[in-house]
Amino acid sequence: MSRPRIVIVGAGFAGYRTARTLARAARGRAEITLLNPTDYFLYLPLLPQVAAGILEPRRVTVSLAGTLPDVRLVLGEAGRIDLDGRTVHYTGPEGERGSLGYDRLVLAAGSVNKLLPIPGVAEHAHGFRGLPEALYLRDHVTRQVELASSDGEGPLCSARCTFVVVGAGYTGTEVAAQGQLFTDALVRAHPLRKGMRPRWMLLDVAERVLPELDERLSGTADRVLRERGVDVRMGTSVKEATPDGVLLTDGEFVGTRTLVWCVGVRPDPLAESLGLPMERGRLLVEPTLQVPGRPEVFACGDAAAVPDLEKPGAYTPMTAQHAWRQGKVAGHNIAASLTGGELRPYRHKDMGFVVDLGGVKAAANPLGIPLSGLPAGAVTRGYHLAAMPGNRVRVAADWLLDAVLPRQAVQLGLVRSWSVPLDTASPELARVPDGRERRETDTASGGAGAPSAGGRKAVGGGGGDDTSRTITSPTPEPVRSESAKRNRQAAKPAEPAKPRQDAEQSRPQPAPTRSSPTRSAPQEGDR
């Protein structure tokens, strides 16, 4: 008798936890396949430390093959799911087409950057959802400081030293906090830069920083940011972005060459393509994480609208801690469905929050006890070490080295501006010159990489940007698409459009024969 076939689409927080739980429960009695475009699980909460030069890129990546030995890994992006035929069609990293049959399907496709119809943002801003974006930001910030030091005083120098972050949720707050420390260190390390004053701005339409947290923790984060020199502006956002800067909603124009977009995430469009009942772009599921009318299909993480049993009538938010815990429930329920066991509903209970503000500063409330300063920093880092499914010793070693040695502030030049567009269906992949994409691992290591043809991505599983630092378990955050426009421009000769005034904008010309797909996706409401 053949073993039941289980296909998991996506290896983010939800997909990874599902695979790990199911592999332990099945004990070889099921054939488990994990479809993902990269061969690692990305621990998103520590990504700001990669951008700030504290952690090396591979520290926040956990090998799927190394930690899931009983799970078959298939590299590829899910393109079409035939529910009646119980088949997942995908595109491999070298453009090859394939399909996977299943008896049980887990959709954990995760999320992508949330876009808003603001002129110029899609062209001039960059998100913070994947490793290529973090590597790009680290190089870009270093480059701007180096160029500013050679420009001398003046408007251009000031613009290069101004860094604008939009979105004061978890990710945006941590990026601004870590970024200010990073650029201050770059200036202090060079005697000819002592007159430079790097300026980080944090914008949000909300009334306060970290609006998801209670006012005490929000106040702690706000105070630390302002003491550090971050220009925090609540009730303010970007009205228009240009190559020379941003026009704010209060009418002020700020000269800058850096716009980091951290306003949140939206569900991956793969869920919508199934034609099943949706809730604001997410697939409606039962408390057991099964799709109504399709008991063989489970969904969890950012792709699923899971009823919140603690708040009747509401759905659990798109956060990493929910995705991680939903993955455990999904794994248990799939195993139970194969043996006739009882399926359990998803319930949760928050145990606190942690926000890393860089250095020894943090804000945390473990078990509801508000902390700040060094105690909060210790709790925050201890939580991340406990939450990571691997690389704990390496991460701790990098933290120790950062405490006693200066950071290595150099440009590696591995990720260019055009290879990490904001409007992308696959933030975990970096675009290559011929319009296709390559895996993050190749980007991080500098290898040529195997190009990936278009197709829907199989990634994520959670962690919607903003609340991936919540303590909940012993282990772990009208739309105008610009993809088609960018691809059309890539297929014709370059025009003398006004570029940003730095070296990264020298973009190689892509081949006109292939391009990444254009996808539209529903929007979550802005804060």
Side-chain angles (χ1 to χ4, degrees):
M1 182 176 180
S2 61
R3 296 182 298 169
R5 300 165 300 169
I6 303 169
V7 174
I8 303 171
V9 179
F13 282 92
Y16 180 88
R17 188 77 183 278
T18 300
R20 194 170 76 168
T21 302
L22 189 55
R24 292 174 178 176
R27 299 180 181 274
R29 295 189 295 269
E31 180 183 325
I32 306 171
T33 300
L34 182 60
L35 176 64
N36 200 60
T38 65
D39 62 356
Y40 59 80
F41 160 78
L42 176 64
Y43 189 71
L44 277 168
L46 292 181
L47 209 55
Q49 297 191 26
V50 173
I54 299 173
L55 297 177
E56 289 303 310
R58 285 184 294 179
R59 304 295 187 255
V60 298
T61 60
V62 178
S63 169
L64 297 177
T67 56
L68 301 173
D70 297 323
V71 176
R72 175 193 174 204
L73 174 63
V74 174
L75 293 177
E77 297 183 88
R80 182 173 63 87
I81 298 177
D82 181 357
L83 295 176
D84 294 328
R86 296 194 177 189
T87 304
V88 177
H89 299 274
Y90 69 92
T91 302
E94 296 183 346
E96 70 278 15
R97 304 286 178 171
S99 61
L100 298 169
Y102 64 83
D103 298 299
R104 298 290 186 277
L105 173 67
V106 182
L107 182 63
S111 55
V112 296
N113 292 312
K114 178 164 66 175
L115 303 178
L116 298 176
I118 299 176
V121 165
E123 293 87 355
H124 304 297
H126 292 280
F128 204 80
R129 287 290 299 158
L131 197 54
E133 293 169 321
L135 292 173
Y136 163 75
L137 183 60
R138 186 169 71 178
D139 270 8
H140 175 77
V141 169
T142 303
R143 179 184 304 114
Q144 294 308 305
V145 172
E146 291 173 347
L147 291 174
S149 64
S150 62
D151 289 336
E153 296 183 1
L156 181 56
C157 176
S158 176
R160 293 195 187 281
C161 288
T162 299
F163 308 92
V164 179
V165 180
V166 184
Y170 281 82
T171 297
T173 298
E174 292 188 354
V175 167
Q178 297 281 5
Q180 186 72 62
L181 290 179
F182 182 44
T183 52
D184 286 348
L186 292 180
V187 171
R188 285 196 308 269
H190 200 295
L192 298 181
R193 300 175 184 170
K194 288 186 177 179
M196 296 171 55
R197 296 186 180 276
R199 175 194 183 194
W200 283 77
M201 298 183 66
L202 180 61
L203 313 176
D204 202 304
V205 295
E207 296 180 355
R208 56 189 175 90
V209 173
L210 297 170
E212 303 88 354
L213 302 186
D214 62 58
E215 292 188 8
R216 185 166 179 175
L217 290 182
S218 176
T220 296
D222 186 274
R223 183 180 67 256
V224 170
L225 290 172
R226 294 180 188 275
E227 290 176 350
R228 196 168 286 169
V230 177
D231 185 356
V232 180
R233 299 194 187 185
M234 296 294 97
T236 305
S237 189
V238 173
K239 184 177 181 180
E240 182 181 0
T242 72
D244 299 319
V246 293
L247 177 63
L248 305 184
T249 52
D250 61 7
E252 179 183 355
F253 183 84
V254 177
T256 183
R257 296 296 184 272
T258 308
L259 180 58
V260 187
W261 195 252
C262 301
V263 298
V265 295
R266 54 194 165 110
D268 187 279
L270 179 61
E272 188 180 26
S273 71
L274 298 179
L276 297 172
M278 309 292 291
E279 169 63 27
R280 300 184 71 183
R282 294 195 285 171
L283 192 62
L284 278 172
V285 298
E286 298 172 349
T288 57
L289 307 181
Q290 289 176 298
V291 174
R294 295 280 181 176
E296 77 281 2
V297 180
F298 294 74
C300 50
D302 291 352
V306 182
D308 191 339
L309 299 183
E310 302 297 321
K311 301 176 182 178
Y315 298 94
T316 58
M318 298 166 58
T319 63
Q321 88 280 3
H322 282 297
W324 185 255
R325 290 168 35 152
Q326 288 168 10
K328 182 178 180 179
V329 173
H332 168 84
N333 286 349
I334 292 170
S337 71
L338 296 174
T339 59
E342 181 181 359
L343 275 62
R344 65 176 66 162
Y346 173 71
R347 292 182 179 274
H348 70 94
K349 182 179 180 180
D350 293 335
M351 300 187 331
F353 303 87
V354 295
V355 183
D356 192 337
L357 300 175
V360 297
K361 303 288 187 179
N365 63 343
L367 302 177
I369 303 173
L371 300 174
S372 61
L374 184 59
V379 168
T380 299
R381 293 204 167 184
Y383 167 71
H384 285 313
L385 286 180
M388 290 194 69
N391 293 347
R392 296 185 181 94
V393 174
R394 290 184 172 91
V395 168
D398 273 5
W399 284 342
L400 178 61
L401 292 174
D402 181 67
V404 298
L405 296 175
R407 299 179 194 177
Q408 294 178 297
V410 295
Q411 301 178 54
L412 299 180
L414 302 178
V415 183
R416 311 303 291 178
S417 173
W418 52 265
S419 66
V420 284
L422 179 66
D423 186 8
T424 175
S426 299
E428 74 285 351
L429 301 175
R431 190 166 296 171
V432 295
D434 65 355
R436 293 176 291 179
E437 294 170 334
R438 64 182 178 186
R439 290 184 290 143
E440 258 181 2
T441 45
D442 297 320
T443 302
S445 62
S452 171
R456 292 193 181 274
K457 76 188 181 84
V459 69
D465 171 65
D466 278 323
T467 46
S468 57
R469 287 83 172 163
T470 305
I471 305 174
T472 56
S473 66
T475 314
E477 115 293 61
V479 181
R480 181 178 61 192
S481 174
E482 294 292 334
S483 295
K485 175 182 176 181
R486 191 177 296 108
N487 292 334
R488 287 195 300 269
Q489 292 174 341
K492 62 183 180 181
E495 298 178 0
K498 186 176 181 181
R500 287 188 184 272
Q501 300 178 28
D502 57 41
E504 70 185 2
Q505 299 301 317
S506 177
R507 175 174 179 169
Q509 288 301 303
T513 55
R514 303 187 64 174
S515 62
S516 58
T518 298
R519 291 200 241 167
S520 61
Q523 287 291 315
E524 289 290 300
D526 194 22
R527 283 193 294 273

